[in-house]
Amino acid sequence: MERRLTMLAAGDATAAAAPNRTVKDAKHREELPGDTVRAEGASATGDAACDAAYDWLGVTFEFFDKSYGRNSIDGAGLPMISTVHYGQDYDNAFWNGEQMVYGDGDGTLFTAFTGPIDVTGHELTHGVTQYTAGLDYFGQSGALNESMSDVFGSLIKQYYKGQTADQADWLIGEGLLAASVHGVALRSMKEPGTAYDDPQLGKDPQPAHMDHFVRTSRDNGGVHINSGIPNRAFYLAAAEIGGNAWEKAGKVWYDTLTGGLSSDTDFAAFAAATVATATRLFSTGSAELTAVRNAWTGVGISS
Ligand SMILES: [Zn+2]
């Protein structure tokens, strides 16, 4: 194996950032990574899961590059790998620390996890968080980790659809619930706790305000539950600022996430950090800073 002086080959330094995607097929086994079915630049395969995974990786790459100048998940051009058709009737998608993995859903509760673009955006943002703040996946820092994935997952969908904050549905996983399920999505950032209410799935357990913070040992201390609180704070900030949410509110959250946050950051510390970021980006007395302060007050968190 060659060992070079630097990572850069001649010319690389000036090359435009471009994705390096590989989609693999687990063929319904729970084994990774599976066989390569589509590499970067190859034409569509005709397999809906494979081609959606490829496209959503591309949109996610473009979103972070164009919006925040970030070159892939690690900021250094990390190749993006997705495995589709994972397991039998597998009801989830995940980032395993190195790559994306998607189940096809059981068809009774969930449809294919490659369907909604924000599911891919959510999972890949776990990678961005892993390479930056590394928020501990437990309690409030874990709920912030989940919230970052919902925030940028939703922003990636809004960017792809060309929607402003008031046009967006602010749902996570819209289209993922099977037709018989009583619900519209996995979560709602605008109205946490209202995404579903179903005999099989139960009721959406998310609080929208600190008054209803859930203390539990389940779900790593409620990481998918209490994320409703910072999710709604982001929605409130974006709605008050208006326009494309990824441009201002998203920039405040992105710079905060990637700006040296400690891994055990709690809600109040994160809120204070977004206020500091907004002050730096938009100055004291700006409407943007006021919107960020109001957002945290609106969910009962002192910033
Ligand atoms: Zn997650």
Side-chain angles (χ1 to χ4, degrees):
M1 180 181 163
E2 292 182 33
R3 286 168 177 79
R4 302 181 191 204
L5 181 62
T6 80
M7 291 168 57
L8 298 172
D12 277 5
T14 53
N20 179 2
R21 293 165 284 182
T22 306
V23 181
K24 293 170 181 280
D25 188 343
K27 298 183 172 153
H28 303 290
R29 294 189 300 267
E30 293 194 12
E31 288 169 23
L32 293 174
D35 304 331
T36 295
V37 285
R38 191 171 174 190
E40 183 62 46
S43 49
T45 63
D47 179 296
C50 168
D51 293 330
Y54 183 88
D55 290 346
W56 299 157
L57 290 177
V59 175
T60 301
F61 181 93
E62 182 186 304
F63 169 82
F64 280 112
D65 178 34
K66 296 266 168 61
S67 305
Y68 312 122
R70 184 177 192 81
N71 182 4
S72 194
I73 302 309
D74 64 346
L78 185 77
M80 303 168 97
I81 302 165
S82 283
T83 296
V84 299
H85 302 308
Y86 181 79
Q88 203 66 249
D89 296 331
Y90 192 80
D91 274 336
N92 224 327
F94 59 93
W95 165 259
N96 76 347
E98 298 175 1
Q99 66 156 96
M100 281 292 307
V101 184
Y102 300 90
D104 289 329
D106 62 4
T108 305
L109 290 176
F110 295 103
T111 62
F113 284 76
T114 40
I117 186 172
D118 49 335
V119 170
T120 292
H122 174 105
E123 299 305 335
L124 290 174
T125 301
H126 278 310
V128 173
T129 298
Q130 170 189 318
Y131 280 101
T132 55
L135 291 161
D136 299 333
Y137 205 64
F138 189 84
Q140 288 197 13
S141 59
L144 283 171
N145 191 320
E146 270 304 312
S147 180
M148 295 302 114
S149 281
D150 281 352
V151 164
F152 292 102
S154 181
L155 291 180
I156 287 161
K157 175 174 155 181
Q158 292 172 36
Y159 172 88
Y160 176 67
K161 294 190 153 203
Q163 292 175 328
T164 59
D166 65 326
Q167 291 168 335
D169 61 20
W170 296 99
L171 296 170
I172 302 297
E174 195 274 330
L176 189 62
L177 300 180
S180 61
V181 174
H182 296 266
V184 291
L186 287 181
R187 292 182 284 280
S188 167
M189 299 180 67
K190 183 176 180 176
E191 301 291 347
T194 67
Y196 58 87
D197 190 353
D198 181 79
Q200 281 180 282
L201 276 186
K203 186 183 178 306
D204 178 354
Q206 287 210 309
H209 191 281
M210 276 308 277
D211 286 353
H212 307 288
F213 183 89
V214 177
R215 294 186 189 284
T216 175
S217 55
R218 285 178 46 227
D219 183 34
N220 285 55
V223 296
H224 294 91
I225 299 172
N226 292 312
S227 55
I229 297 167
N231 275 359
R232 180 158 160 84
F234 181 80
Y235 161 75
L236 290 172
E240 187 172 328
I241 292 169
N244 294 328
W246 60 90
E247 291 176 1
K248 290 181 174 178
K251 173 72 172 159
V252 172
W253 259 241
Y254 178 81
D255 280 8
T256 302
L257 173 66
T258 60
L261 215 57
S262 69
S263 62
D264 62 351
T265 301
D266 64 10
F267 289 179
F270 184 79
T274 61
V275 166
T277 304
T279 305
R280 177 173 58 76
L281 289 173
F282 301 107
S283 85
T284 334
S286 64
E288 292 86 355
L289 175 58
T290 302
V292 171
R293 284 190 191 282
N294 288 345
W296 290 113
T297 307
V299 298
I301 293 171
S302 160
S303 59

